[in-house]
Amino acid sequence: MDLQLHGKRILVTGASRGLGYAVAQVLAQEGARLAINARHAETIAEAAARLRAATGAEVHPIPGDVSQAPDATAVVEQAQDALGGLDGLVTNAGGPPPGRFEDFDDATWFRAFELAFLFHVRLIRAALPALRASDLGSVVAITSISAKQPIQNLVLSNTMRAAAVALIKTLALELGPEGLRFNAVLPGWTRTERVTELLAYRAQQKGTTVEDEMAAQARASALGRMGEPEELGRAVAFLLSPAAAYLTGVLLPVEGGSYKGLC
Ligand SMILES: NC(=O)c1ccc[n+]([C@@H]2O[C@H](COP(=O)([O-])OP(=O)(O)OC[C@H]3O[C@@H](n4cnc5c(N)ncnc54)[C@H](OP(=O)(O)O)[C@@H]3O)[C@@H](O)[C@H]2O)c1
């Protein structure tokens, strides 16, 4: 199937490593024209160079902290300038710190709110005029399976992801009449640097090893393994693409059957 992404102008945030990088890689392989973002100028420039070298795609690195309002707006503006507009946006960033309810004060909750929820709002708001000007405007938010099934020791993430998927569903309903599409992916445990960090924290709490925790996560999925970042990347590329033209408001779990609910 041709995803019809060739030449499409797409911004992917949080893309120097992990899930965001894997999304950018699949989009670059499909011939999209990309702007990619992360906080650190050097690592996002290196990621862009790697993608250009591997795929020959046009990839513009745009440093900025999308959890901060001025940066979120500036990143979208620079992406539009570099690409001459926007057809697609993938909203992604790092996750909030692990921990339980009584571990966090208001300041930490507010930082998590900006990092895991409000950044979607700010990026989408800034990108809307350009997406409206495109005849294919499409957004995919990277959230978490924790929006459906809370994960232990991740109270900040669990709470913000639920809000994020509610936002995406609402936008799909509000802006669908204009032809704009909004979808979200809900990754389960996928092998990235962040996951290694989280499982190291869990192992430390439980007195186990990272390997023990990875094996436990693998056993918890129907497929008996953790996900690979490119598997999430392919799901995002499809939802974003014109090939998914009749899909909007979809909250797609990509988790190998580790979620056990019916809907
Ligand atoms: N991997 C999983 O299994 C999994 C499962 C469910 C949900 N998630 C969620 O999916 C997202 C990505 O996960 P991941 O595993 O790919 O994380 P990761 O390996 O930590 O990668 C995060 C990426 O986002 C960038 N980033 C972090 N904070 C940013 C900010 N404020 N502004 C701009 N860029 C930022 C990082 O680069 P810089 O540090 O240079 O900014 C990096 O490129 C996270 O929110 C995570 O909680 C992941």
Side-chain angles (χ1 to χ4, degrees), residues 83-99:
L83 298 171
L86 275 185
D87 303 304
L89 169 67
V90 179
T91 54
N92 178 54

Side-chain angles (χ1 to χ4, degrees), residues 5 8-14 20 23-24 27 32-37 62 66 72-73 75-77 79-80 83 85-93 118-132 134 136-142 167-168 171 180-185 236-237 239-241:
L5 282 166
K8 298 296 177 296
R9 303 159 297 177
I10 299 167
L11 167 62
V12 186
T13 64
V23 168
L27 294 173
R33 300 173 56 214
L34 295 179
I36 63 170
N37 149 268
I62 303 186
V66 295
T73 308
V75 165
V76 172
E77 283 171 1
Q80 285 171 207
L83 298 171
L86 275 185
D87 303 304
L89 169 67
V90 179
T91 54
N92 178 54
L118 200 54
F119 88 105
H120 295 293
V121 174
R122 288 167 169 162
L123 288 169
I124 292 168
R125 188 194 288 129
L128 264 184
L131 294 172
R132 281 192 168 112
S134 160
L136 313 151
S138 169
V139 175
V140 176
I142 298 185
L167 170 74
I168 292 301
L171 287 170
L180 296 169
R181 295 187 303 111
F182 294 84
N183 294 294
V185 287
V236 172
L239 282 178
L240 195 68
S241 76

Side-chain angles (χ1 to χ4, degrees), residues 16-17 19 39-40 65-66 92-94 161 188 190 192 194-195:
S16 65
R17 68 176 200 176
L19 302 182
R39 285 168 301 179
H40 299 99
D65 180 346
V66 295
N92 178 54
R161 307 310 183 175
T190 312
T192 66
R194 171 175 158 83
V195 156

Side-chain angles (χ1 to χ4, degrees), residues 51-112:
L51 288 170
R52 281 194 295 267
T55 65
E58 177 184 336
V59 187
H60 302 273
I62 303 186
D65 180 346
V66 295
S67 73
Q68 300 304 304
D71 279 25
T73 308
V75 165
V76 172
E77 283 171 1
Q78 287 170 41
Q80 285 171 207
D81 289 348
L83 298 171
L86 275 185
D87 303 304
L89 169 67
V90 179
T91 54
N92 178 54
R100 294 163 62 86
F101 177 71
E102 289 172 291
D103 295 337
F104 301 119
D105 58 11
D106 275 7
T108 315
W109 273 96
F110 192 71
R111 276 198 300 278

Side-chain angles (χ1 to χ4, degrees), residues 144-177:
S144 170
I145 195 61
S146 70
K148 287 170 89 74
Q149 179 171 274
I151 299 173
Q152 61 170 308
N153 274 319
L154 283 181
V155 65
L156 296 172
S157 175
N158 294 342
T159 308
M160 300 307 161
R161 307 310 183 175
V165 298
L167 170 74
I168 292 301
K169 194 76 180 175
T170 304
L171 287 170
L173 298 174
E174 271 190 25
L175 298 175

